[in-house]
Amino acid sequence: MDSGTDSVKESVKESVANSARDAAARKTIVITGAGSGFGALSARALARAGHTVYAAMRDTGGRNAARVAEAEAYAAEHAVDLRTVELDVLSQESADAAIATVLAEAGGPDVLVHNAGHMVTGPTEAFTPAELAAVYDTNVLGTQRVNRAALPHLRAQGHGLLLWVGSTSTRGGTPPYLAPYFAAKAAMDALAVSYAAELARFGIETTIVVPGAFTSGTNHFASGGHPSEQTVLPAYEEHYAGLMDQVAGRLAALTPPDADVSLVADALVDVVDTPYGKRPFRVHVDPADDGSQEVSLVADRVRAEFLTRIGLADLLSPVARKGTA
């Protein structure tokens, strides 16, 4: 056999090996709240990175039909595998159906991105308990519904990744008039931390991506809710006149001019593309630097040291039982 034939064979073998590696690197990803903001940007960035991405959103046949069409157009224009799926995080039936669709179509998911969230602004006293519960329902219980739908599959396959989109408000600066949202994000962070240990022996990894206050490029503030009861607002306006506008303006002033919300999407792509076992537990994307990273370093170190002290250090580093994630 001549050297030319040998060269062709080696080239074919290398091509097959590269294709296999590429296939192994591709993930099937479900990202909640992907109709706009961080979610839509991240879905597109992850698809551009070569993954199969399901941009999950509610009411895909109604108010979000235009966003579904935009995602389809983006996928066609950029030749990426970006899909949409109906998923209302307020409904367990909807979460179950969405994951069933992803399993049937793609055999996944490999990665869950908990991004869906809702912000409200106003004096804390003005919100009824039911209104606080509604914020908690979206930001916290929504993640639980999606986990309960998807974790049986991830546990069975022996690997996977939960990616939680948190907030620097959990441990950093907390300006007033955002308490219901901050409280819900803190609860979600606590849930993510506990899940990390409880899923480690199933080979499932956890990363918490922690965005700071991006006052432009998302519709968090514009689409945020307000208290329905107005009776106490005049008293607060007397002493805190224009406070919410002041907070938004001062947060914007702290943010460097080159800070863009796409940094959050880039961080999610970096985490997904990091090899299994090397992914960080927490990643901050906080151009304004409100102190969250400094506090989190201490909190996460204390957690690691405590689990080690009580003989559970293995829960800090999941090991895939089958394949890689």
Side-chain angles (χ1 to χ4, degrees), residues 79-320:
V80 296
D81 196 357
L82 174 62
R83 314 179 189 185
T84 58
V85 64
E86 172 75 28
L87 200 169
D88 181 354
V89 298
L90 300 181
S91 164
Q92 187 64 59
E93 291 76 13
S94 179
D96 291 343
I99 297 302
T101 295
V102 176
L103 283 166
E105 292 182 359
D110 302 303
V111 180
L112 296 182
V113 182
H114 290 304
N115 169 76
H118 181 57
M119 177 184 286
V120 296
T121 59
T124 308
E125 181 189 350
F127 291 95
T128 66
E131 288 171 332
L132 263 69
V135 177
Y136 190 93
D137 199 0
T138 298
N139 290 277
V140 186
L141 301 185
T143 68
Q144 179 70 350
R145 294 184 183 102
V146 177
N147 278 350
R148 285 175 59 81
L151 284 177
H153 163 71
L154 296 181
R155 288 189 287 101
Q157 74 179 12
H159 61 79
L161 170 64
L162 296 192
L163 247 173
W164 306 73
V165 179
S167 169
T168 58
S169 63
T170 298
R171 294 194 173 97
T174 50
Y177 279 18
L178 288 158
Y181 176 73
F182 288 168
K185 279 297 188 180
M188 193 203 76
D189 190 278
L191 196 66
V193 169
S194 291
Y195 257 123
E198 294 177 17
L199 295 175
R201 290 179 180 170
F202 292 103
I204 298 170
E205 289 185 291
T206 292
T207 295
I208 306 169
V209 173
V210 190
F214 287 87
T215 54
S216 62
T218 72
N219 59 0
H220 287 324
F221 286 93
S223 64
H226 304 281
S228 59
E229 292 186 3
Q230 305 291 307
T231 54
V232 304
L233 295 184
Y236 280 89
E237 190 61 20
E238 179 182 353
H239 294 280
Y240 296 88
L243 179 64
M244 199 61 243
D245 290 338
Q246 294 169 30
V247 168
R250 290 168 187 175
L251 286 175
L254 284 176
T255 305
D258 60 346
D260 189 274
V261 291
S262 63
L263 294 172
V264 178
D266 294 342
L268 292 176
V269 172
D270 287 344
V271 171
V272 171
D273 287 348
T274 296
Y276 184 90
K278 303 292 184 182
R279 291 174 177 131
F281 181 64
R282 196 183 296 271
V283 177
H284 281 77
V285 188
D286 183 21
D289 188 13
D290 72 0
S292 174
Q293 184 167 7
E294 183 178 358
V295 177
S296 293
L297 285 171
V298 176
D300 293 338
R301 174 178 59 78
V302 169
R303 167 183 173 266
E305 290 174 351
F306 182 75
L307 288 178
T308 301
R309 282 171 55 201
I310 62 175
L312 295 175
D314 70 298
L315 304 187
L316 299 170
S317 302
V319 176

